[in-house]
Amino acid sequence: AVLLDTSLRYASSKTVTPYKVKGVFDDDGDNLQTSFNVSVMRPVGPEGKLLLMPTFGFGRTGYVKNEMTGRADYLLLAGISASYQMQAWLSFQAFANFSHKFANEKGEEKLKAASKYDNWDIGVALTGNHAF
């Protein structure tokens, strides 16, 4: 199965009281967020108990208000998830996701070193269920 996910969202914000720590409200300002993700679900093995799901995505946040007007942040995402159905009521999952965030020139000017980062999320889960 191929899963496609796209979104378009407008976020409205208002700073009531500015915080005294410089840079805390770097995200202040209305923004338009767009994203596109694609995932492929692939059962593996004769019984299909192992499910692999690679994912790729792209997101953009463009700021349109206050001193962040003109700033754009971008997020690239790549990941993989594997789950194994050990019993009808018990499964094991492992995942790894890598994300890379960067900003346009305005974002680099305003955020300095915080305008970009690389991040790894890695985890495992054991899931059980019971019908009552």
Side-chain angles (χ1 to χ4, degrees), residues 58-83:
F58 173 78
R60 180 186 185 277
T61 302
Y63 292 83
V64 295
K65 185 178 170 187
N66 298 337
E67 64 181 64
M68 291 297 161
T69 299
R71 173 182 152 201
D73 295 341
Y74 303 93
L75 184 67
L76 300 174
L77 172 72
I80 189 159
S81 172
S83 65

mmCIF file of all heavy atoms in Angstrom, residues 58-83:
data_model
loop_
_atom_site.group_PDB
_atom_site.id
_atom_site.type_symbol
_atom_site.label_atom_id
_atom_site.label_comp_id
_atom_site.label_asym_id
_atom_site.label_seq_id
_atom_site.Cartn_x
_atom_site.Cartn_y
_atom_site.Cartn_z
ATOM 1 N N PHE A 58 8.344 16.199 3.253
ATOM 2 C CA PHE A 58 8.841 17.564 3.106
ATOM 3 C C PHE A 58 7.817 18.504 3.708
ATOM 4 O O PHE A 58 6.613 18.339 3.504
ATOM 5 C CB PHE A 58 9.046 17.900 1.624
ATOM 6 C CG PHE A 58 9.389 19.346 1.384
ATOM 7 C CD1 PHE A 58 10.676 19.799 1.611
ATOM 8 C CD2 PHE A 58 8.424 20.242 0.974
ATOM 9 C CE1 PHE A 58 10.999 21.127 1.410
ATOM 10 C CE2 PHE A 58 8.741 21.574 0.763
ATOM 11 C CZ PHE A 58 10.033 22.016 0.986
ATOM 12 N N GLY A 59 8.285 19.485 4.462
ATOM 13 C CA GLY A 59 7.387 20.491 5.032
ATOM 14 C C GLY A 59 7.971 21.883 4.901
ATOM 15 O O GLY A 59 9.193 22.062 4.862
ATOM 16 N N ARG A 60 7.087 22.872 4.806
ATOM 17 C CA ARG A 60 7.507 24.279 4.725
ATOM 18 C C ARG A 60 6.596 25.102 5.617
ATOM 19 O O ARG A 60 5.370 24.942 5.598
ATOM 20 C CB ARG A 60 7.400 24.805 3.304
ATOM 21 C CG ARG A 60 7.828 26.262 3.181
ATOM 22 C CD ARG A 60 7.567 26.819 1.781
ATOM 23 N NE ARG A 60 8.078 28.161 1.638
ATOM 24 C CZ ARG A 60 7.451 29.264 2.024
ATOM 25 N NH1 ARG A 60 6.266 29.194 2.597
ATOM 26 N NH2 ARG A 60 7.987 30.456 1.848
ATOM 27 N N THR A 61 7.192 25.979 6.427
ATOM 28 C CA THR A 61 6.447 26.940 7.231
ATOM 29 C C THR A 61 6.896 28.325 6.811
ATOM 30 O O THR A 61 8.075 28.662 6.936
ATOM 31 C CB THR A 61 6.710 26.731 8.741
ATOM 32 O OG1 THR A 61 6.338 25.403 9.100
ATOM 33 C CG2 THR A 61 5.917 27.724 9.567
ATOM 34 N N GLY A 62 5.971 29.117 6.307
ATOM 35 C CA GLY A 62 6.262 30.493 5.885
ATOM 36 C C GLY A 62 5.588 31.476 6.821
ATOM 37 O O GLY A 62 4.376 31.399 7.063
ATOM 38 N N TYR A 63 6.359 32.404 7.376
ATOM 39 C CA TYR A 63 5.840 33.375 8.350
ATOM 40 C C TYR A 63 5.360 34.635 7.649
ATOM 41 O O TYR A 63 6.008 35.139 6.740
ATOM 42 C CB TYR A 63 6.917 33.685 9.392
ATOM 43 C CG TYR A 63 7.199 32.486 10.262
ATOM 44 C CD1 TYR A 63 8.066 31.487 9.842
ATOM 45 C CD2 TYR A 63 6.540 32.325 11.473
ATOM 46 C CE1 TYR A 63 8.284 30.363 10.616
ATOM 47 C CE2 TYR A 63 6.764 31.201 12.251
ATOM 48 C CZ TYR A 63 7.638 30.228 11.817
ATOM 49 O OH TYR A 63 7.847 29.110 12.582
ATOM 50 N N VAL A 64 4.208 35.152 8.101
ATOM 51 C CA VAL A 64 3.561 36.259 7.393
ATOM 52 C C VAL A 64 3.161 37.413 8.310
ATOM 53 O O VAL A 64 2.355 38.253 7.930
ATOM 54 C CB VAL A 64 2.307 35.755 6.622
ATOM 55 C CG1 VAL A 64 2.717 34.782 5.530
ATOM 56 C CG2 VAL A 64 1.297 35.114 7.562
ATOM 57 N N LYS A 65 3.723 37.475 9.536
ATOM 58 C CA LYS A 65 3.318 38.520 10.470
ATOM 59 C C LYS A 65 4.473 38.839 11.412
ATOM 60 O O LYS A 65 5.320 38.001 11.687
ATOM 61 C CB LYS A 65 2.108 38.032 11.277
ATOM 62 C CG LYS A 65 1.503 39.042 12.210
ATOM 63 C CD LYS A 65 0.294 38.449 12.903
ATOM 64 C CE LYS A 65 -0.195 39.341 14.019
ATOM 65 N NZ LYS A 65 -1.248 38.692 14.791
ATOM 66 N N ASN A 66 4.472 40.060 11.944
ATOM 67 C CA ASN A 66 5.455 40.535 12.913
ATOM 68 C C ASN A 66 6.868 40.544 12.316
ATOM 69 O O ASN A 66 7.033 40.549 11.108
ATOM 70 C CB ASN A 66 5.388 39.735 14.216
ATOM 71 C CG ASN A 66 4.040 39.866 14.891
ATOM 72 O OD1 ASN A 66 3.320 40.834 14.659
ATOM 73 N ND2 ASN A 66 3.680 38.913 15.717
ATOM 74 N N GLU A 67 7.876 40.490 13.158
ATOM 75 C CA GLU A 67 9.243 40.613 12.644
ATOM 76 C C GLU A 67 9.733 39.347 11.948
ATOM 77 O O GLU A 67 10.805 39.344 11.356
ATOM 78 C CB GLU A 67 10.203 41.009 13.758
ATOM 79 C CG GLU A 67 10.356 39.999 14.868
ATOM 80 C CD GLU A 67 11.304 40.487 15.954
ATOM 81 O OE1 GLU A 67 10.976 41.503 16.601
ATOM 82 O OE2 GLU A 67 12.359 39.857 16.132
ATOM 83 N N MET A 68 8.969 38.277 11.956
ATOM 84 C CA MET A 68 9.347 37.056 11.244
ATOM 85 C C MET A 68 8.814 37.023 9.815
ATOM 86 O O MET A 68 9.035 36.059 9.088
ATOM 87 C CB MET A 68 8.853 35.822 11.995
ATOM 88 C CG MET A 68 9.566 35.591 13.302
ATOM 89 S SD MET A 68 11.324 35.282 13.027
ATOM 90 C CE MET A 68 11.962 35.631 14.642
ATOM 91 N N THR A 69 8.100 38.062 9.386
ATOM 92 C CA THR A 69 7.564 38.113 8.030
ATOM 93 C C THR A 69 8.675 37.863 7.017
ATOM 94 O O THR A 69 9.730 38.492 7.064
ATOM 95 C CB THR A 69 6.903 39.481 7.757
ATOM 96 O OG1 THR A 69 5.832 39.663 8.682
ATOM 97 C CG2 THR A 69 6.376 39.567 6.338
ATOM 98 N N GLY A 70 8.435 36.906 6.126
ATOM 99 C CA GLY A 70 9.420 36.560 5.104
ATOM 100 C C GLY A 70 10.287 35.370 5.468
ATOM 101 O O GLY A 70 10.977 34.810 4.620
ATOM 102 N N ARG A 71 10.254 34.957 6.718
ATOM 103 C CA ARG A 71 11.027 33.783 7.138
ATOM 104 C C ARG A 71 10.342 32.513 6.649
ATOM 105 O O ARG A 71 9.122 32.402 6.652
ATOM 106 C CB ARG A 71 11.120 33.757 8.665
ATOM 107 C CG ARG A 71 11.761 32.503 9.205
ATOM 108 C CD ARG A 71 11.763 32.528 10.720
ATOM 109 N NE ARG A 71 11.745 31.159 11.231
ATOM 110 C CZ ARG A 71 11.362 30.820 12.441
ATOM 111 N NH1 ARG A 71 10.953 31.741 13.300
ATOM 112 N NH2 ARG A 71 11.373 29.576 12.824
ATOM 113 N N ALA A 72 11.131 31.546 6.208
ATOM 114 C CA ALA A 72 10.603 30.237 5.810
ATOM 115 C C ALA A 72 11.492 29.153 6.399
ATOM 116 O O ALA A 72 12.716 29.231 6.316
ATOM 117 C CB ALA A 72 10.542 30.118 4.301
ATOM 118 N N ASP A 73 10.872 28.180 7.022
ATOM 119 C CA ASP A 73 11.568 27.013 7.562
ATOM 120 C C ASP A 73 11.182 25.798 6.726
ATOM 121 O O ASP A 73 10.027 25.657 6.329
ATOM 122 C CB ASP A 73 11.153 26.748 9.015
ATOM 123 C CG ASP A 73 11.572 27.859 9.964
ATOM 124 O OD1 ASP A 73 12.462 28.645 9.619
ATOM 125 O OD2 ASP A 73 10.995 27.921 11.066
ATOM 126 N N TYR A 74 12.138 24.916 6.501
ATOM 127 C CA TYR A 74 11.919 23.709 5.710
ATOM 128 C C TYR A 74 12.315 22.496 6.542
ATOM 129 O O TYR A 74 13.275 22.551 7.308
ATOM 130 C CB TYR A 74 12.762 23.749 4.434
ATOM 131 C CG TYR A 74 12.487 24.970 3.602
ATOM 132 C CD1 TYR A 74 13.256 26.114 3.750
ATOM 133 C CD2 TYR A 74 11.451 24.982 2.673
ATOM 134 C CE1 TYR A 74 12.996 27.251 3.000
ATOM 135 C CE2 TYR A 74 11.187 26.120 1.923
ATOM 136 C CZ TYR A 74 11.964 27.248 2.089
ATOM 137 O OH TYR A 74 11.700 28.363 1.349
ATOM 138 N N LEU A 75 11.583 21.401 6.362
ATOM 139 C CA LEU A 75 11.885 20.180 7.092
ATOM 140 C C LEU A 75 11.835 19.006 6.121
ATOM 141 O O LEU A 75 10.824 18.776 5.459
ATOM 142 C CB LEU A 75 10.877 19.956 8.226
ATOM 143 C CG LEU A 75 11.138 18.762 9.122
ATOM 144 C CD1 LEU A 75 12.417 18.976 9.937
ATOM 145 C CD2 LEU A 75 9.975 18.516 10.052
ATOM 146 N N LEU A 76 12.942 18.284 6.034
ATOM 147 C CA LEU A 76 13.012 17.054 5.252
ATOM 148 C C LEU A 76 13.018 15.882 6.219
ATOM 149 O O LEU A 76 13.696 15.938 7.251
ATOM 150 C CB LEU A 76 14.288 17.034 4.406
ATOM 151 C CG LEU A 76 14.446 18.169 3.408
ATOM 152 C CD1 LEU A 76 15.821 18.111 2.753
ATOM 153 C CD2 LEU A 76 13.356 18.122 2.361
ATOM 154 N N LEU A 77 12.281 14.831 5.892
ATOM 155 C CA LEU A 77 12.147 13.685 6.783
ATOM 156 C C LEU A 77 12.321 12.391 6.001
ATOM 157 O O LEU A 77 11.782 12.239 4.904
ATOM 158 C CB LEU A 77 10.761 13.688 7.441
ATOM 159 C CG LEU A 77 10.373 12.461 8.252
ATOM 160 C CD1 LEU A 77 11.167 12.418 9.551
ATOM 161 C CD2 LEU A 77 8.889 12.459 8.542
ATOM 162 N N ALA A 78 13.074 11.466 6.580
ATOM 163 C CA ALA A 78 13.200 10.112 6.030
ATOM 164 C C ALA A 78 13.189 9.155 7.216
ATOM 165 O O ALA A 78 13.822 9.411 8.231
ATOM 166 C CB ALA A 78 14.490 9.960 5.241
ATOM 167 N N GLY A 79 12.445 8.074 7.074
ATOM 168 C CA GLY A 79 12.378 7.135 8.183
ATOM 169 C C GLY A 79 11.953 5.753 7.740
ATOM 170 O O GLY A 79 11.525 5.552 6.604
ATOM 171 N N ILE A 80 12.090 4.826 8.664
ATOM 172 C CA ILE A 80 11.619 3.466 8.409
ATOM 173 C C ILE A 80 11.064 2.899 9.707
ATOM 174 O O ILE A 80 11.575 3.177 10.792
ATOM 175 C CB ILE A 80 12.718 2.557 7.828
ATOM 176 C CG1 ILE A 80 12.111 1.234 7.393
ATOM 177 C CG2 ILE A 80 13.862 2.371 8.806
ATOM 178 C CD1 ILE A 80 12.922 0.462 6.391
ATOM 179 N N SER A 81 10.013 2.120 9.557
ATOM 180 C CA SER A 81 9.385 1.451 10.684
ATOM 181 C C SER A 81 9.218 -0.018 10.319
ATOM 182 O O SER A 81 8.900 -0.348 9.177
ATOM 183 C CB SER A 81 8.017 2.078 10.964
ATOM 184 O OG SER A 81 7.307 1.334 11.924
ATOM 185 N N ALA A 82 9.444 -0.882 11.276
ATOM 186 C CA ALA A 82 9.224 -2.313 11.078
ATOM 187 C C ALA A 82 8.420 -2.829 12.260
ATOM 188 O O ALA A 82 8.734 -2.527 13.407
ATOM 189 C CB ALA A 82 10.559 -3.052 10.992
ATOM 190 N N SER A 83 7.374 -3.564 11.972
ATOM 191 C CA SER A 83 6.592 -4.173 13.052
ATOM 192 C C SER A 83 6.400 -5.655 12.763
ATOM 193 O O SER A 83 6.263 -6.066 11.609
ATOM 194 C CB SER A 83 5.247 -3.464 13.236
ATOM 195 O OG SER A 83 4.442 -3.626 12.091
#
